[in-house]
Amino acid sequence: MNFQSKIKTIEWVDTYSKMVDQTVIPYEYKFVNITSGDEMFEAIRNMVVRGAPAIGIAGAHGVILYAQELEKICLTKDDFVAKLIEKAEYMKTSRPTAVNLMWAVEKQIEIIKASNADIKGIIEELKQNGIKLENEDIEINKKIGDFGAEIVPKGATILTHCNAGALATVGYGTALGVVRSAFAKDNSIKVFADETRPRQQGARITTFELAMDGIPVTLITDGMCSYFMKKGMINMVVVGADRIAANGDTANKIGTYTVAIAAKYHNIPFYVAAPLSTIDVSIKSGDEIPIEERSHDEVTLINGKPICPLKGVNIINPGFDVTPNELITGIITERGIIRPDYKQSIKEVFKN
Ligand code: MRU
């Protein structure tokens, strides 16, 4: 379905990466230009760019930025290649959970290793590959959206957690890609967006981008989801993913697991929408997914103001949780919807 979203989150422009600054949404919608590899590392770590597919592209751009810097100081191609691979490996460590980052940077490393070109030629190949990954991301999300739209009931209200929209990808979105494609077919569908503490991606970003695209959205706080499920006001849940293990266990923003348990209790289908690049077949189960521990300030402060005593209170702030595969009705990918038994169906999808 052709839903025209106005958002392009990140793109390579000649010698730099241009991205939407997600730290200021919804107060401002502005772009920042990232011009060095270290600046990109910080932009990923500080969530100027966020969302698994978007940080993957950011990582790929980061490798181009490092390549441009190394061109100025390396005297031989061998030295350039060795130093660039080191920088690319470093870029992978900017955030630990979303595997798309490692996946996209690895795609650039493959180019570096395979290239017969000189330094300038390698940089050009990295740029072309970065742009290709951007374009593919949007195409993949549209496919995810279209497969997902087929299973959205008429007039449905879809609950989502965090932001898995255009602003978490290059464009269109994964979970919100499903929403966009479904809305193009049936403009009576609606979205409930969980606020998503502590960083409030649902409140700040999901509501912002859906309102921008004219899709009806209702904001609720995280603890409200089972209340609305019990009232029969939620027909399905669609969330994104940061990493999916070979058995279907899915890491996504903290709080997703709670939503999945509530959905199971109320017999509401719970879907994950993600590109195949989010599936990490190298790990057997969700227990092996590294969970990012983020700054305590995210929990103790809202808009810079404390919401609890800053002394004498323990804080813990995992950025993600893992939803066990048995709570997941299906995983919507660009190759169709993967269903249980995930161990088997994930193996099958990677065979083709
Ligand atoms: O910490 P964030 O904002 O990068 O976390 C994002 C999420 O958890 C998203 O839901 C997930 O990356 C899916 S993105 C299409």
Side-chain angles (χ1 to χ4, degrees), residues 18 61 77 83 98 101 121 143 151 159 189 195 202 208 234 258 271 275 277 348:
K18 178 182 168 190
H61 287 182
K77 180 181 166 184
K83 289 203 166 82
L101 172 62
K143 285 186 187 152
I151 51 158
L159 173 73
I189 71 138
E195 175 195 14
F208 176 84
I234 309 286
T258 312
Y271 284 94
S277 54
E348 283 299 315

Side-chain angles (χ1 to χ4, degrees), residues 22 47 49-55 95 98 100 161-165 168-169 173-175 199 201 205 239-242 251-254 256 273-275 292 294 319-320:
Q22 306 207 19
M47 291 165 72
V49 59
R50 31 86 30 221
I55 65 174
R95 286 191 77 187
N100 309 62
H161 189 79
C162 193
N163 173 261
T169 61
T174 53
R199 289 285 293 236
Q201 290 94 329
I205 302 172
V239 297
D242 290 85
N252 193 50
K253 182 52 57 196
I254 191 81
T256 304
E292 180 177 20
R294 294 193 59 87
F320 301 89

Side-chain angles (χ1 to χ4, degrees), residues 276-331:
L276 293 178
S277 54
T278 304
I279 304 181
D280 184 353
V281 286
S282 76
I283 56 170
K284 285 200 187 82
S285 83
D287 295 342
E288 293 171 62
I289 300 176
I291 299 295
E292 180 177 20
E293 174 68 29
R294 294 193 59 87
S295 160
H296 294 178
D297 289 353
E298 292 183 350
V299 176
T300 55
L301 308 177
I302 292 187
N303 288 337
K305 293 215 165 63
I307 56 162
C308 65
L310 294 179
K311 282 200 176 128
V313 178
N314 297 322
I315 305 295
I316 184 162
N317 183 21
F320 301 89
D321 58 27
V322 176
T323 299
N325 58 27
E326 63 266 26
L327 299 180
I328 301 170
T329 313
I331 302 172

Side-chain angles (χ1 to χ4, degrees), residues 14 60 168 334:
D14 194 21
E334 67 271 34

Side-chain angles (χ1 to χ4, degrees), residues 22-27 44-52 55 95 160-168 176 191-211 217-222 240 242 252-256 292 294 298-299 302 317-321:
Q22 306 207 19
T23 60
V24 294
I25 293 174
Y27 314 111
I44 295 171
R45 194 162 62 172
N46 298 329
M47 291 165 72
V48 175
V49 59
R50 31 86 30 221
I55 65 174
R95 286 191 77 187
T160 193
H161 189 79
C162 193
N163 173 261
L167 287 163
L176 297 191
V191 175
F192 268 42
D194 276 349
E195 175 195 14
T196 319
R197 275 285 285 153
R199 289 285 293 236
Q200 298 159 308
Q201 290 94 329
R204 295 191 303 106
I205 302 172
T206 297
T207 63
F208 176 84
E209 70 165 81
L210 290 176
V217 57
T218 301
L219 174 65
I220 62 173
T221 64
D222 297 347
D242 290 85
N252 193 50
K253 182 52 57 196
I254 191 81
T256 304
E292 180 177 20
R294 294 193 59 87
E298 292 183 350
V299 176
I302 292 187
N317 183 21
F320 301 89
D321 58 27

